[in-house]
Amino acid sequence: MPEHAIPAQLNRGGTTYAAPAFSPSGRPLPRLEIEVRPAGDRQLVVVTGEVDIDADHLLHSTLRAALDRSRRGVDLDLSRVDFCDCSGLNILLRIRQRALRDGKTLCVRAASGAVRRLLTVTHTVPLLGPADRGMSSPAP
């Protein structure tokens, strides 16, 4: 189980991890929930909430575990992410690098407006987007 996560729920053959509501110092933390489920020889990871430095341990450990469980890689659905800062982007790039080293891929299949802007401004869409088509937007 990823570190810094509250107990998981099993969900449609997958697992959901949620960040604790408060830091050890008692400060409220942004809401973050990550669902991981198998998708053929890949893992689908659906992230909901805010991805920032307070959530980076949960995101990193969850993506790393999903990558380890997959045969070909990880597909990300970030269409429910309200906010993503550079710490979240750095995690995606580190996991992508690890995936490539292992002969796998990390691919953002859907992105919210906030994530899409971050990937566009940082010119990382070609690194994280699918090669066969553009990232989809969230449904209205």
Side-chain angles (χ1 to χ4, degrees), residues 35-78:
E35 180 185 345
V36 181
R37 62 181 179 257
D41 53 2
R42 300 180 65 80
Q43 293 284 308
L44 174 63
V45 177
V46 180
V47 182
T48 303
E50 298 180 22
V51 178
D52 64 7
I53 197 161
D54 289 323
D56 66 354
H57 292 296
L58 176 60
L59 181 63
H60 185 268
S61 59
T62 303
L63 288 177
R64 188 170 177 171
L67 186 63
D68 289 344
R69 283 193 304 270
S70 74
R71 282 197 11 218
R72 294 193 50 230
V74 173
D75 291 325
L76 288 168
D77 179 343
L78 303 178

Side-chain angles (χ1 to χ4, degrees), residues 5 8 13 16 23 26-27 37-38 42 45-46 52 59 61 79 85 93 98 100 105 113 127-128:
T16 300
S23 72
R27 185 171 57 95
R37 62 181 179 257
R42 300 180 65 80
V45 177
V46 180
D52 64 7
L59 181 63
S61 59
S79 63
D85 67 8
L93 294 173
R98 186 168 187 266
L100 292 175
T105 60
L127 298 176
L128 297 168

